Amino acid sequence: MEGTTAASFLLLFFVLLHSHNPGVLVHGGVAPPRGPLVIHYYNHTCRYAEEFVKHQVTLAWNADPSITAALLRLLYTDCFVSGCDASILLDGEESEKKAPQNTGLKGFDVIDRIKRVLEARCPGVVSCADILNLAARDAVALAGAPKYPVFTGRRDGMHSTARSVDLPPASITWNGALAYFKSRGLNFLDLGTLLGAHSLGITHCVHIRDRLYNFNGTRRPDPTMSNSTLKQLRKQCPQKIKPGQPDPTVFLNLHSGKNYTFENYYYSQALHRQAVLGIDQKLTSTMDGVRISQEFADEFEDLRRTFALSMSRMGNIGVLTGNQGEIRKNCRFTNV
């Protein structure tokens, strides 16, 4: 293919090697996920639904670019727990929102605004699950990722419980993270690619303090972290904070995190032992991870295309269609 580099051939090799659906990567696009989801599902029932979503996301992003990271995290926490059914959006004393792993989730107000707009124009038509997937897509496009096609037709789940939330901690082992992804029908390349979303996120110091001061109970820092990164993060994350004082945050992208842009510097950080989260550094603990990191660090367009593929695959986890679930009138509550 014209313009294809040696790195692109390497990427294709990894896709074919690790994917459950060989041949899904195509030059410049993504093949559709399996299942009943289709492109432009709402063309006949709510013609401008995707444009309405895009407009509201653009307004939110212009006001605060961090909405991209918020919506990506929201989509991840939804899809990986009970499937992409918008159960994370439901309110309730024991809902998924109340799980400790979901502390600090944001972006609900943006989804609420989009839903109000769509209900005013096409009542009872567009699901909250599709809204969340479309909104995340538009937000990452504004941040510099490709605007990949979102296959729509999802319906909304009717149950949400905190005890169902099994999202892994940032300290999970690489094999544990890979097993978790495989349990959702994703693979090694999906894991390495979707971790790249950390290029525009933040984390609280509580999630990395062990790496800085007491790695695995050794009372020493994580030996896989470079000395310069250790010094920088220790300045931002003191070993102890005063009672009542908020836990500080740090950007996961030490290069340009404050810009909230989608870029490939995340992979350069990992290759130079500068990753912030333990799971990010563990990406380079295997030869396959090193090769993927090197390729994405060198070839941004390869990352963009593969990110589009992995986002599409993630959005197909456990979807409800047909007569399953419902189309909520309000994303925070079921209809009955």
Side-chain angles (χ1 to χ4, degrees), residues 77-321:
T77 56
D78 183 49
C79 292
F80 272 80
V81 173
S82 58
C84 302
D85 63 352
S87 55
I88 188 60
L89 304 179
L90 288 171
D91 284 346
E93 287 300 317
E94 299 296 328
S95 70
E96 292 174 27
K97 291 180 180 179
K98 302 296 183 179
Q101 302 97 312
N102 289 334
T103 300
L105 283 179
K106 298 178 181 179
F108 298 106
D109 55 332
V110 175
I111 302 300
D112 289 340
R113 285 199 296 273
I114 295 170
K115 184 61 173 174
R116 286 195 295 269
V117 168
L118 289 171
E119 283 297 304
R121 289 160 173 78
C122 315
V125 172
V126 185
S127 70
C128 299
D130 277 344
I131 290 173
L132 181 53
N133 275 268
L134 290 166
R137 183 271 305 276
D138 291 334
V140 295
L142 288 166
K147 187 173 182 180
Y148 53 89
V150 168
F151 297 81
T152 43
R154 298 169 186 80
R155 289 171 66 85
D156 300 322
M158 302 179 67
H159 305 284
S160 180
T161 60
R163 63 178 178 274
S164 69
V165 177
D166 61 349
L167 298 171
S171 59
I172 190 173
T173 65
W174 181 256
N175 286 338
L178 183 56
Y180 183 77
F181 265 59
K182 285 183 175 179
S183 72
R184 269 61 176 178
L186 302 182
N187 57 39
F188 184 95
L189 185 60
D190 293 314
L191 173 56
T193 302
L194 292 174
L195 282 174
H198 288 171
S199 69
L200 39 72
I202 61 173
T203 187
H204 282 273
C205 290
V206 66
H207 298 302
I208 63 170
R209 202 167 269 116
D210 61 326
R211 294 195 72 206
L212 304 180
Y213 299 100
N214 189 25
F215 183 66
N216 288 344
T218 61
R219 297 186 181 181
R220 299 179 63 82
D222 185 345
T224 66
M225 181 180 289
S226 71
N227 289 333
S228 60
T229 304
L230 177 64
K231 291 177 182 178
Q232 179 179 348
L233 291 177
R234 277 184 168 180
K235 289 179 181 178
Q236 298 173 269
C237 296
Q239 187 168 9
K240 295 181 180 180
I241 56 175
K242 297 178 181 179
Q245 181 180 349
D247 190 41
T249 60
V250 297
F251 289 107
L252 296 178
N253 181 343
L254 299 175
H255 176 246
S256 58
K258 63 182 180 181
N259 297 329
Y260 291 101
T261 53
F262 180 83
E263 56 181 52
N264 56 349
Y265 189 77
Y266 163 89
Y267 296 96
S268 296
Q269 280 190 172
L271 290 168
H272 291 91
R273 300 168 51 226
Q274 297 171 345
V276 176
L277 292 176
I279 187 59
D280 293 337
Q281 192 57 63
K282 289 166 187 171
L283 173 60
T284 57
S285 64
T286 68
M287 283 307 300
D288 282 353
V290 169
R291 289 167 181 161
I292 289 175
S293 297
Q294 288 174 335
E295 181 182 344
F296 287 162
D298 293 338
E299 299 289 342
F300 183 46
E301 284 307 309
D302 281 351
L303 171 60
R304 281 166 52 86
R305 285 193 295 269
T306 313
F307 188 79
L309 170 65
S310 291
M311 287 294 291
S312 185
R313 282 162 56 82
M314 182 178 74
N316 199 43
I317 297 175
V319 297
L320 303 177
T321 58

Side-chain angles (χ1 to χ4, degrees), residues 15-34:
V15 173
L16 295 177
L17 178 64
H18 295 290
S19 177
H20 297 297
N21 185 15
V24 289
L25 184 67
V26 295
H27 191 54
V30 235
R34 295 175 178 175

